[in-house]
Amino acid sequence: GVTAAPPSPASRPPQPGGGFELRYWSPINSPVLDRDGRLMYIIHRVEDVTDYVLAHTPSDTDASQRKTTRLEAEIVLRSYELKRMADSLALSEQRLRYVTRATNDVVWDWNMADDALWCSRSALEPLGSALARSTRLADWEDCIHPEDRERVGGSLRSSVAAGRENWAAEYRLRLPGDVERHVLQRCFMVIDERGKPQRMVGSIADLTEQKRQEARLRMQAEMLDYATHAILVRDPVNRVL
């Protein structure tokens, strides 16, 4: 878990003119996990609280003890508040990992400010691998079937320009190996307090098998329309259905 500690003194290299400068640090450690929950590395973040400590340094001995105790308590409380925030963030990230592993849909998050695109790795291949490599909106557009690309990209940008909160489109993706997938993408737009769009978040569902079944049903319906004979349907035990 995330750990926090009260401030501790640490010295910096010699300053101009000789001598060392005493600084007070309040550290917090945050673990970073991979998709399977295994520890990859630990981020050690240190907050310099020297100015705060020195500003509250008392002048007399009796007051010094009281103020020092109060100061340490305040900094420890601040450290634990940072720990609670880091724990909450870690829990949110863990929930997102579980959700993306429990569904075949791709989670899609586009930050408009810097055109940063993140796509989760879906369980379906090659859909998951191809979209997971997308880091910009143009990468995602490159995966769209050429016949659908202008329609879908134009629809998305029109929705953003109009400030619409919800956007959806059904289209085809062309993936490596000349694999074609029919997908349905649904997104909602995050708008700030000034009404300016910030990001779009949503999902991409694979409709390929559903489209195939619909095509088979349409073909069967067309064959029945042209049939001139009676048609009987029986189950495995010869009952007429």
Side-chain angles (χ1 to χ4, degrees):
V2 178
T3 59
S8 58
S11 61
R12 290 202 317 196
Q15 303 300 298
F20 289 85
E21 180 182 6
L22 187 67
R23 309 293 299 180
Y24 288 86
W25 294 348
S26 181
I28 182 170
N29 300 306
S30 305
V32 178
L33 309 179
D34 62 14
R35 296 178 182 273
D36 298 317
R38 294 188 296 265
L39 179 66
M40 294 192 300
Y41 50 86
I42 297 175
I43 298 175
H44 179 69
R45 186 170 68 253
V46 177
E47 182 179 5
D48 191 317
V49 294
T50 305
D51 293 340
Y52 187 78
V53 171
L54 296 180
H56 290 75
T57 301
S59 56
D60 60 273
T61 305
D62 292 338
S64 174
Q65 184 62 37
R66 292 194 301 272
K67 288 191 176 183
T68 299
T69 301
R70 185 172 66 252
L71 172 63
E72 291 178 349
E74 289 174 355
I75 296 178
V76 169
L77 287 175
R78 184 173 182 180
S79 297
Y80 278 103
E81 180 62 26
L82 289 172
K83 177 183 182 299
R84 284 193 294 270
M85 293 170 61
D87 282 341
S88 177
L89 178 60
L91 180 59
S92 297
E93 292 176 346
Q94 184 183 55
R95 286 172 176 166
L96 178 59
R97 284 195 301 271
Y98 289 158
V99 168
T100 55
R101 291 180 63 181
T103 179
N104 288 331
D105 293 355
V106 172
V107 177
W108 193 82
D109 184 354
W110 175 39
N111 188 332
M112 301 177 191
D114 54 7
D115 190 29
L117 177 66
W118 175 83
C119 295
S120 67
R121 184 178 293 276
S122 166
L124 291 176
E125 296 296 343
L127 177 65
S129 297
L131 291 179
R133 291 192 292 268
S134 299
T135 59
R136 299 175 302 127
L137 189 68
D139 298 332
W140 162 73
E141 289 184 301
D142 287 343
C143 294
I144 299 176
H145 193 286
E147 296 178 3
D148 298 339
R149 190 173 299 155
E150 184 176 353
R151 170 180 61 85
V152 176
S155 173
L156 176 67
R157 288 176 172 80
S158 296
S159 181
V160 172
R164 290 189 289 268
E165 291 188 349
N166 295 288
W167 176 80
E170 189 174 315
Y171 58 92
R172 293 166 294 172
L173 286 172
R174 178 165 287 179
L175 307 176
D178 205 26
V179 175
E180 188 175 297
R181 313 292 295 190
H182 288 261
V183 299
L184 171 62
Q185 182 167 351
R186 296 189 183 96
C187 294
F188 73 91
M189 187 161 56
V190 180
I191 302 175
D192 64 16
E193 62 278 1
R194 295 171 298 174
K196 184 178 180 181
Q198 296 296 311
R199 66 194 313 126
M200 291 193 79
V201 182
S203 64
I204 301 177
D206 194 321
L207 303 180
T208 306
E209 187 56 35
Q210 177 182 326
K211 290 293 183 181
R212 289 173 181 166
Q213 293 178 1
E214 291 174 355
R216 285 196 294 268
L217 289 174
R218 283 196 301 269
M219 182 181 64
Q220 292 171 0
E222 291 173 359
M223 292 175 62
L224 290 175
D225 287 341
Y226 287 102
T228 57
H229 303 287
I231 298 175
L232 297 180
V233 180
R234 297 185 300 180
D235 67 11
V237 294
N238 288 323
R239 289 179 302 186
V240 176
L241 302 178

